[in-house]
């Protein structure tokens, strides 16, 4: 993969709650890359989620999907606002991210749970259990129970109701995400654990069969294991080091990655990349977002941790633009700032200096300056 044609076209969708607060901090890093690394970015910003509902009456416009296709990559904040709790299900702010994933075919959501040395004491687990921990969760994102039919809320003859969602996975949906996981494993510790509930779900049984088949045919050199999702939740807390790459469906991946974030210290630390299929012209649609949501409980206070968003941007540089040196620099700058003792509230510990969102962002840019001059 060669480095990108310039200017790099980014669609920036800050969204709701803390989304705009943490995306703003990426803006500083983009400005730094332009000034100090000679890169040029063409940024297009638009509204999604509750912000779009307020302005346009829909969580996302078709025009925004078109802009996402035209961009080299999408940088997404988060969506969701309790203010819109009354709207019908298909108009909720969260539809914006579901629709982007589905329309762009973003099926492989990479959620790395990596523990920074400086944060071993912030983890929910003992330092020795998490030191050096580096897990990659590969979550399928356009199938499964978030999208299956039938769905809805039906009124029964007696006036009571039933809510329905359906877990559906097809062979090809499982094959393509399994290939992503096996490919990633080959560049890491060469181990994949596939997670489902084949003991009680047919979709899980098919998942296991297809992953086993893809492994045997295409990736026999990678060590493959299987685990039921409930056990996996427990094992992630008991002994997370047993995992290298986890591959799983939409719902289990959503839950297990929020759980894994606490091994790293906070939900505010976990970035993600969501990748689609390579197109005929060689381009691959991709969206980068933290795994957290809009955090309405802390929105507007300037205290959100911007690191998950900043690390998501580092993933964008790595996966969509092949700017490995710049991605490495950002990750190193985050590591150095944490080592210097700065902490947002969510990762605060005794003896450390508590800072807000923008001071953390500024400190990371200062650290980039130091790395550049070394
Ligand atoms: N991709 C997306 O846009 C996502 C959207 N959501 C939506 O976000 C809204 C809020 O959902 P919640 O369940 O509260 O999950 P959440 O992820 O927004 O927050 C959960 C907890 O983690 C904290 N937290 C999250 N990010 C943080 C950060 N960067 N720094 C410090 N603390 C942080 C929050 O303050 C809260 O206490 C909902 O509407 C939900 O649907 C949730 C997850 C993903
Ligand atoms: C659609 C999102 C709100 C679901 C979610 O929590 C996520 O993708 O992490
Ligand atoms: Mg989630």
């Amino acid at each position: 993969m060669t480095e990108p044609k310039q200017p790099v076209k980014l669609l920036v969708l800050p969204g709701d709650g803390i989304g705009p607060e943490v995306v703003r901090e990426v803006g500083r890093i983009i400005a730094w890359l332009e000034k100090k690394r000679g890169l040029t970015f063409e940024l297009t910003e638009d509204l999604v989620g509750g912000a779009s509902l307020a302005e346009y009456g829909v969580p996302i416009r078709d025009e925004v999907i078109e802009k996402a296709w035209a961009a080299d990559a999408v940088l997404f904040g988060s969506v969701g606002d309790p203010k819109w709790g009354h709207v019908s299900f298909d108009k909720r702010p969260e539809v914006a991210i579901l629709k982007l994933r589905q329309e762009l075919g973003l099926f492989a959501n990479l959620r790395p749970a990596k523990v920074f040395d400086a944060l071993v004491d912030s983890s929910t687990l003992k330092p020795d259990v998490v030191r050096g921990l580096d897990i990659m969760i590969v979550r399928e994102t356009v199938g499964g129970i978030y999208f299956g039919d039938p769905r809805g809320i039906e009124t029964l003859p007696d006036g009571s109701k039933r809510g329905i969602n359906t877990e559906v996975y097809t062979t090809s949906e499982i094959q393509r995400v399994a290939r992503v996981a096996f490919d990633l494993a080959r560049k890491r510790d060469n181990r994949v654990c596939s997670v489902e509930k084949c003991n009680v779900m047919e979709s899980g049984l098919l998942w296991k069969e297809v992953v086993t088949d893809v492994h045997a045919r295409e990736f026999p050199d990678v060590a493959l294991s299987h685990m039921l999702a409930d056990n996996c939740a427990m094992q992630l807390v008991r002994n997370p080091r047993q995992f290298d790459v986890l591959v799983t469906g939409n719902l289990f991946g959503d839950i297990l990655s929020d759980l894994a974030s606490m091994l790293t210290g906070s939900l505010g630390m976990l970035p993600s990349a969501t990748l689609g299929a390579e197109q005929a012209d060689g381009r691959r649609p991709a969206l980068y977002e933290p795994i957290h949501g809009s955090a309405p409980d802390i929105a507007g206070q300037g205290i959100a941790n911007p690191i998950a968003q900043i690390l998501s941007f580092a993933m964008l540089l790595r996966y969509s633009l092949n700017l490995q040196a710049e991605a490495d620099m950002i990750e190193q700058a985050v590591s150095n700032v944490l080592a210097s003792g700065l902490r947002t509230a969510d990762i605060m510990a005794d003896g450390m200096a508590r800072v807000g969102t923008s001071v953390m962002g500024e400190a990371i840019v200062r650290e980039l300056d130091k790395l550049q001059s070394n």
Side-chain angles (χ1 to χ4, degrees), residues 97-98 101 106-112 136-147 169 173-174 176-178 180-181 184 193 195 207 245-258 271-275 289-292:
I97 184 63
L98 294 177
R101 289 173 186 160
L106 303 172
F107 64 90
N109 183 209
L110 279 44
R111 297 185 156 196
M136 177 66 86
I137 298 177
V138 180
R139 167 194 174 198
E140 201 289 330
T141 25
V142 295
I145 200 159
Y146 293 175
F147 292 101
Y169 270 117
E173 283 172 341
I174 302 165
R176 63 186 180 178
V177 75
V180 170
L184 278 167
C193 178
V195 179
W207 183 282
V245 176
L246 286 166
V247 62
T248 189
N250 208 340
L251 174 64
F252 295 146
D254 194 358
I255 295 169
L256 293 174
S257 53
D258 266 34
S272 87
T274 322
L275 310 176
E289 58 169 332
I291 78 156
H292 62 71

Side-chain angles (χ1 to χ4, degrees), residues 49 77 88 100 108 118 157 168 178 198 227 241 268 291 368:
S88 66
L100 270 164
V168 182
C198 66
M227 196 176 277
R241 267 189 224 278
I291 78 156
L368 283 170

